[in-house]
Amino acid sequence: MQIKFYILLAVGLLFLSCNEESKVEKEIATIEADFTVERFDKAFFEAKPEDLSTLKEAYPFFFSKRVPDSIVIHRMKDTLQHELLTEVQNTFPDFKNTKQELEGLFQHLKYYDKTFTVPRVITLTNDVAYRDKTIVNDSLVLIALDNYLGADHKFYQNIPVFIAANMRKSQIVVDVTDNYAKKYSFQTDRKTLLDEMIYFGKLLYFKDVMIPFKTDAEKIGYTEAQIKWAEANESQIWSYFIEKELLYDTDPKLPNRFIADAPFSKFYLELDNDSPGRLGQYIGWQIVKAYADTTGEDIITIMQTEPQIIFNKAKFKPKK
């Protein structure tokens, strides 16, 4: 009877939690977050040399005073630029679905941060500089669409496959959210593997809260098979970190093995080839989730909390 009572209690608490989350999401859906997506990429694609002054007036931050107009006009006429812009227009004839996702993000940001104001959103191209796919500040969100043409696109043939895998339009709002997460996050040190794990765990948990309409696989940039592998092997991964005493290790090689973008994580075991990269980030994510569930703290506070406090209070236990 006692076991049955605890089961019923757990189910009841889960139901109440889900019901509360549903109420919050309904409230968030009523928040106004109006904005227009400005297609600078399209405007530049369609512009003629005589339109340059108009473009410079509308988007002065894209034109350096050190660069003469002749160079910009040459870029307008350049065949490679024309091909790049054509591919972008073909992939993004409109921006409706992504705009809806960005609106959802902004609604959540306004709910959790009362000081947040909806930024100006501008799309552009940046010669496939994939390390700068999106840029965010207090008033602007810049999205370089030539980095989201699809994993198998011909422009990405010289880019590592594990990086190109996330160069698709479904990842745009994920990348924008990641930029915002970094703005809200703070911690004094990032010296140990645990520091790094929880830093990236915070960024991923921020996505849980701000873009709940995206899947866990999309939030971390895994395939569905990779996220299932991480879930199935969570206990084994955690045991490895504990047995090897890696959590407080400051070896600079550890982030490259378990945190940085890579085709697989480096345990130096047979399971390496089956594993996705960034499993340290994945475990950090589970620790931060456990902390949030245990303490009930709001997302803004969590993003400012030191990693050791998060770890101590999370009482993290991996899935069996």
Side-chain angles (χ1 to χ4, degrees), residues 250-318:
T250 57
D251 184 345
K253 294 179 182 176
L254 287 173
N256 287 330
R257 290 173 60 189
F258 300 113
I259 300 293
D261 273 333
F264 52 85
S265 295
K266 300 176 183 68
F267 298 93
Y268 305 132
L269 299 171
E270 286 186 14
L271 58 79
D272 282 12
N273 290 334
D274 296 324
S275 72
R278 296 178 283 115
L279 283 172
Q281 291 192 29
Y282 172 82
I283 295 295
W285 186 13
Q286 309 317 306
I287 293 171
V288 177
K289 280 184 183 180
Y291 175 80
D293 290 343
T294 300
T295 65
E297 286 184 355
D298 66 275
I299 182 60
I300 304 302
T301 301
I302 290 171
M303 298 302 287
Q304 299 285 310
T305 303
E306 295 290 357
Q308 192 60 54
I309 294 173
I310 289 177
F311 181 63
N312 289 345
K313 292 187 178 180
K315 297 181 173 29
F316 170 68
K317 293 181 180 179

Side-chain angles (χ1 to χ4, degrees), residues 44 67 164 182 199 207 226 265 275 302:
F44 193 85
V67 178
K182 289 171 182 173
Y199 173 78
K207 295 173 190 175
Q226 286 174 325
S265 295
S275 72
I302 290 171

Side-chain angles (χ1 to χ4, degrees), residues 92-311:
F92 295 94
D94 66 65
F95 212 66
K96 183 178 178 182
N97 291 339
T98 304
K99 184 178 186 294
Q100 287 178 343
E101 292 189 339
L102 288 170
E103 183 178 6
L105 166 62
F106 297 153
Q107 287 173 317
H108 282 79
L109 283 166
K110 287 186 76 172
Y111 179 84
Y112 289 102
D113 176 8
K114 304 308 179 187
T115 69
F116 176 79
T117 56
V118 177
R120 188 177 175 187
V121 178
I122 306 173
T123 62
L124 65 150
T125 60
N126 69 350
D127 297 323
V128 196
Y130 60 82
R131 291 183 177 85
D132 297 304
K133 293 189 283 186
T134 63
I135 296 173
V136 166
N137 65 26
D138 290 340
S139 59
L140 283 175
V141 169
L142 305 181
I143 303 169
L145 296 183
D146 50 334
N147 295 286
Y148 297 101
L149 301 177
D152 299 323
H153 197 277
K154 61 182 179 180
F155 290 162
Y156 306 157
Q157 297 309 303
N158 294 322
I159 296 174
V161 172
F162 64 91
I163 291 176
N166 285 307
M167 297 176 73
R168 46 199 166 89
K169 63 174 69 175
S170 63
Q171 292 302 108
I172 290 176
V173 75
V174 176
D175 290 342
V176 171
T177 308
D178 192 69
N179 275 268
Y180 275 113
K182 289 171 182 173
K183 282 169 59 65
Y184 283 96
S185 184
F186 170 82
Q187 59 189 56
T188 305
D189 292 314
R190 288 173 59 186
K191 295 178 180 177
T192 67
L193 179 62
L194 181 65
D195 289 340
E196 288 292 297
M197 288 166 60
I198 291 184
Y199 173 78
F200 284 97
K202 287 182 187 178
L203 305 189
L204 287 161
Y205 182 69
F206 187 87
K207 295 173 190 175
D208 284 335
V209 175
M210 299 299 177
I211 48 172
F213 45 85
K214 301 300 280 187
T215 66
D216 283 355
E218 288 171 323
K219 291 170 196 167
I220 195 171
Y222 282 174
T223 64
E224 284 299 328
Q226 286 174 325
I227 196 74
K228 287 177 181 175
W229 190 98
E231 290 167 352
N233 291 276
E234 191 174 300
S235 182
Q236 189 175 356
I237 298 164
W238 183 244
S239 294
Y240 180 89
F241 288 162
I242 298 301
E243 289 167 8
K244 298 293 183 181
E245 300 181 344
L246 299 182
L247 294 186
Y248 296 101
D249 198 323
T250 57
D251 184 345
K253 294 179 182 176
L254 287 173
N256 287 330
R257 290 173 60 189
F258 300 113
I259 300 293
D261 273 333
F264 52 85
S265 295
K266 300 176 183 68
F267 298 93
Y268 305 132
L269 299 171
E270 286 186 14
L271 58 79
D272 282 12
N273 290 334
D274 296 324
S275 72
R278 296 178 283 115
L279 283 172
Q281 291 192 29
Y282 172 82
I283 295 295
W285 186 13
Q286 309 317 306
I287 293 171
V288 177
K289 280 184 183 180
Y291 175 80
D293 290 343
T294 300
T295 65
E297 286 184 355
D298 66 275
I299 182 60
I300 304 302
T301 301
I302 290 171
M303 298 302 287
Q304 299 285 310
T305 303
E306 295 290 357
Q308 192 60 54
I309 294 173
I310 289 177
F311 181 63

